[in-house]
């Protein structure tokens, strides 16, 4: 690793940068505009976030609060756990543990810095971690392996079988850093009593592990408070998703990123609820006037990303979509299948319901909620099995009136790469032009954003989706 990269801790640099930006958010619009010329290296990402008004400012403040929790966890007597995006942080907040979600910090580094998280990814290889592993974890994993972050206390993940490269990253981290480790398991099926019993038993064992690490018992009232807040959040997300069915879609394309990033950071916390309320208010205002959420003002096309998005410098994907009048109508990262979701109206057996009557009901609720997190729900079994990737994608594409489907991932997504050509064959049969992106969502060295966007332009032109 280059000496200059080792000068400051990875998480401290993110905290420092986002902290400065969040203070700018308190200024007037005129002050914000004047400030942009003094931050040339961050002008692109600042414009992308600030132009979303109150929602953009709250997203920035929420992200800083997340990083601030990490930096101050030990000073306030809390434990730090590294974890993954497909694990709900709700149980951590119920037990006063501060989560560090690898994929979130990797995205932040890629969006903020031209150098991205490349040095940290490369350091993983120096330690013996496989080159073919997923870059979404490597970007942050390398920093913590190199000792360039806060001292972590434990490792928790939940993806063995669903994504073995994800699971391997966390087991490697636990072994290399010599930390306590727990991983939840998920059977290949989703809907049957035997599976639900397995989820609950496994989740109870996780809670025992967390109680042992923290020396504290899970408090019933604290868990109820977190779950009641998630109920509110689920209803707000359902309102947004309902409005996204309108043509034109009144929600700006980047709202989908705000929805899932906020959920990964602060499920069950008021910071996220506040963000969602700003987003619902803005989308409702535009819906009542029949306006598009696109800043370009005209919706030409509706695209469903049936895996994940692209997270390079300045979050260029969203600006690119907006300029072409393409509405982003979601991806699998933003679909959690609560019983109130509009897409789950006729699929109640696949949903979770939050019941806070007593401890047993709450444990069942949170175990089922966690089992429906992105990826661990959608690709736990064969892609074309009931309740899995193909069925979900086709139902969502139809409901949100998609004109085309786009796949993006990383070379480390071996589970989806093993299925995606078969998946694309099927989605084309259903009448959806489908594009497979061959870059890396978290590492632009695989394919530059310029090349990726040219291929997208070619797809839209050849398939006569855009003139």
């Amino acid at each position: 690793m280059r000496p200059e990269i080792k000068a400051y801790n990875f998480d401290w640099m993110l905290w420092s940068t986002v902290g400065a930006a969040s203070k700018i958010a308190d200024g007037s619009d005129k002050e914000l505009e004047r400030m942009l010329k003094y931050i040339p290296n961050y002008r692109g990402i600042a414009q992308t976030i600030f132009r979303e008004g109150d929602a953009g400012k709250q997203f920035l403040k929420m992200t800083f609060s997340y990083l601030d929790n990490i930096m101050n966890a030990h000073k306030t007597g809390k434990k730090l756990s590294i974890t993954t995006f497909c694990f709900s942080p709700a149980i951590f907040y119920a037990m006063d543990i501060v989560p560090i979600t690898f994929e979130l910090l990797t995205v932040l580094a890629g969006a903020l810095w031209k150098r991205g998280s490349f040095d940290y990814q490369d350091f993983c290889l120096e330690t013996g971690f496989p080159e073919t592993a997923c870059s979404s974890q490597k970007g942050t994993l390398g920093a913590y392996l190199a000792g360039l972050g806060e001292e972590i206390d434990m490792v928790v993940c939940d993806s063995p079988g669903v994504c073995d490269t994800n699971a391997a990253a966390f087991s490697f981290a636990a072994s290399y850093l010599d930390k306590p480790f727990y991983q939840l398991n998920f059977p290949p099926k989703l809907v049957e009593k035997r599976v639900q019993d397995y989820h609950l038993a496994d989740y109870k064992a996780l809670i025992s592990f967390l109680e042992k690490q923290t020396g504290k018992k899970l408090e019933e009232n604290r868990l109820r408070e977190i779950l009641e807040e998630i109920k509110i959040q689920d209803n707000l997300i359902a309102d947004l998703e309902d409005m996204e069915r309108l043509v034109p879609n009144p929600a700006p394309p980047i709202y989908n990123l705000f929805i899932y990033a906020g959920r990964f950071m602060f499920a069950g916390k008021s910071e996220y609820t506040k963000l969602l309320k700003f987003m619902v208010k803005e989308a409702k205002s535009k819906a009542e006037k029949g306006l598009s959420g696109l800043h370009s003002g005209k919706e030409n096309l509706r695209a469903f990303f049936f895996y994940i998005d692209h997270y390079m410098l300045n979050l260029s994907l969203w600006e690119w979509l907006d300029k072409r009048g393409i509405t982003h109508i979601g991806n699998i990262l933003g679909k959690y299948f609560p019983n109130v979701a509009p897409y789950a109206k006729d699929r109640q057996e696949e949903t979770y319901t939050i019941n806070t009557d007593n401890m047993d009901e709450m444990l069942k609720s949170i175990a089922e909620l966690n089992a429906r997190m992105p990826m661990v729900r959608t690709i736990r079994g064969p892609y074309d099995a009931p309740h899995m990737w193909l069925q979900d994608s086709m139902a969502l594409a139809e409901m949100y009136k998609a004109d085309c489907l786009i796949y993006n991932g990383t070379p480390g997504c071996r589970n989806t790469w093993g299925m995606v050509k078969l998946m694309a064959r099927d989605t084309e049969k259903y009448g959806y032009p489908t594009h497979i992106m061959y870059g890396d969502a978290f590492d632009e060295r695989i394919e530059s954003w310029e090349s990726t966007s040219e291929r997208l332009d070619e797809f839209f032109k050849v398939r006569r989706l855009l003139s």
Side-chain angles (χ1 to χ4, degrees):
M1 187 181 293
R2 291 180 291 161
E4 58 268 34
I5 300 295
K6 296 180 181 176
Y8 300 98
N9 276 358
F10 172 68
D11 47 18
W12 182 89
M13 286 192 286
L14 292 174
W15 170 82
S16 178
T17 306
V18 177
S22 68
K23 290 173 185 169
I24 298 173
D26 290 327
S28 66
D29 290 344
K30 188 176 180 181
E31 287 171 331
L32 285 174
E33 186 60 35
R34 291 282 179 87
M35 181 60 72
L36 291 177
K37 69 179 180 181
Y38 297 108
I39 53 171
N41 291 334
Y42 299 104
R43 185 185 180 98
I45 185 69
Q47 287 179 314
T48 299
I49 300 298
F50 286 140
R51 72 176 179 175
E52 302 305 337
D54 289 338
K57 292 175 183 176
Q58 177 57 24
F59 179 76
L60 200 55
K61 289 180 179 180
M62 182 186 71
T63 304
F64 175 66
S65 181
Y66 181 80
L67 294 166
D68 200 50
N69 286 347
I70 294 172
M71 299 307 299
N72 290 293
H74 289 152
K75 293 174 190 169
T76 53
K78 297 177 180 176
K79 298 283 186 180
L80 274 170
S81 176
I82 54 175
T83 188
T84 180
F85 74 98
C86 46
F87 181 89
S88 173
I91 191 64
F92 288 140
Y93 292 123
M95 299 192 70
D96 230 8
I97 298 168
V98 175
I100 303 174
T101 304
F102 271 0
E103 298 85 358
L104 282 173
L105 269 54
T106 300
V107 167
L108 270 178
L112 290 172
W113 304 328
K114 194 171 183 180
R115 65 176 184 276
S117 59
F118 307 152
D119 290 271
Y120 308 114
Q121 292 193 40
D122 291 346
F123 185 76
C124 288
L125 312 189
E126 294 178 30
T127 64
F129 195 61
E131 184 179 8
T132 53
C134 182
S135 50
S136 67
Q137 287 94 44
K138 282 193 297 183
T140 300
L141 172 64
Y144 284 91
L145 295 182
L148 297 173
E150 290 292 299
E151 178 78 16
I152 64 159
D153 299 299
M154 67 191 92
V155 181
V156 174
C157 79
D158 64 349
S159 55
V162 178
C163 179
D164 288 337
T165 55
N166 179 306
F170 292 95
S171 62
F172 186 90
S175 176
Y176 191 93
L177 299 171
D178 193 22
K179 299 296 179 186
F181 176 47
Y182 192 92
Q183 62 179 13
L184 289 165
N185 287 300
F186 293 119
K189 293 183 178 179
L190 180 72
V191 180
E192 62 180 60
K193 186 171 185 312
R194 193 168 61 126
V195 172
Q196 291 168 347
D197 291 344
Y198 186 93
H199 287 157
L200 180 58
D202 202 14
Y203 208 84
K204 285 181 175 176
L206 164 69
I207 291 171
S208 297
F209 168 82
L210 297 177
E211 288 177 336
K212 181 180 178 184
Q213 300 310 315
T214 59
K216 301 176 185 173
K217 297 292 287 183
L218 174 60
E219 293 181 14
E220 185 171 335
N221 287 338
R222 180 65 179 147
L223 180 59
R224 181 173 291 111
E225 180 185 325
I226 296 291
L227 289 176
E228 289 292 345
E229 193 73 19
I230 290 179
K231 264 191 193 178
I232 296 170
Q233 294 168 356
D234 282 345
N235 279 294
L236 289 166
I237 294 171
D239 284 347
L240 279 167
E241 289 171 330
D242 223 11
M243 287 188 278
E244 286 186 327
R245 297 164 66 183
L246 297 172
V247 180
N249 177 1
I254 205 166
Y255 272 20
N256 284 294
L257 172 69
F258 288 178
I259 289 173
Y260 62 77
R263 178 94 172 191
F264 299 157
M265 287 186 210
F266 279 129
K269 299 288 283 183
S270 60
E271 293 92 332
Y272 182 40
T273 308
K274 189 174 180 182
L275 169 67
L276 291 169
K277 287 180 176 176
F278 279 131
M279 292 161 65
V280 169
K281 181 181 176 184
E282 178 64 17
K284 272 187 179 173
S285 172
K286 290 193 172 175
E288 287 167 0
K289 299 169 187 169
L291 298 176
S292 166
L294 291 160
H295 294 278
S296 54
K298 184 182 177 186
E299 180 178 293
N300 296 318
L301 193 69
R302 299 166 70 91
F304 179 66
F305 285 67
F306 63 101
Y307 192 44
I308 63 174
D309 296 318
H310 191 277
Y311 309 99
M312 283 295 99
L313 186 65
N314 300 331
L315 298 174
S316 302
L317 170 68
W318 285 270
E319 174 68 12
W320 186 90
L321 292 171
D322 205 311
K323 282 184 176 176
R324 284 156 180 76
I326 302 172
T327 289
H328 186 305
I329 53 171
N331 61 20
I332 70 164
L333 298 180
K335 307 304 176 193
Y336 310 103
F337 284 78
N339 61 330
V340 296
Y343 51 81
K345 186 178 177 183
D346 299 322
R347 303 170 67 181
Q348 288 294 299
E349 78 281 6
E350 300 175 48
T351 65
Y352 68 83
T353 301
I354 293 178
N355 183 336
T356 57
D357 287 348
N358 53 55
M359 192 59 147
D360 285 342
E361 291 299 328
M362 287 193 286
L363 291 178
K364 286 179 189 173
S365 299
I366 198 168
E368 290 302 304
L369 178 158
N370 202 70
R372 282 151 181 79
M373 288 294 285
M375 195 169 77
V376 294
R377 175 204 135 79
T378 316
I379 58 173
R380 64 169 60 193
Y383 82 99
D384 55 354
H387 322 302
M388 293 295 142
W389 199 18
L390 179 62
Q391 183 181 1
D392 283 359
S393 298
M394 291 299 88
L396 292 166
E398 182 180 0
M399 174 170 277
Y400 291 96
K401 305 175 182 70
D403 297 302
C404 63
L405 302 183
I406 297 172
Y407 169 87
N408 188 43
T410 85
C413 299
R414 287 194 283 278
N415 201 356
T416 59
W417 276 114
M419 307 183 269
V420 72
K421 286 215 170 182
L422 298 172
M423 177 88 167
R425 178 198 63 188
D426 290 345
T427 57
E428 290 276 353
K429 284 181 182 174
Y430 280 102
Y432 294 102
T434 303
H435 177 64
I436 299 173
M437 294 165 67
Y438 286 91
D440 187 322
F442 309 91
D443 188 350
E444 206 173 358
R445 295 173 299 180
I446 305 301
E447 182 181 81
S448 69
W449 168 246
E450 288 74 18
S451 297
T452 298
S453 56
E454 281 181 13
R455 291 178 191 274
L456 279 167
D457 268 329
E458 184 180 26
F459 164 70
F460 290 125
K461 185 177 180 181
V462 169
R463 301 301 296 266
R464 299 184 178 179
L465 294 165
L466 287 178
S467 56

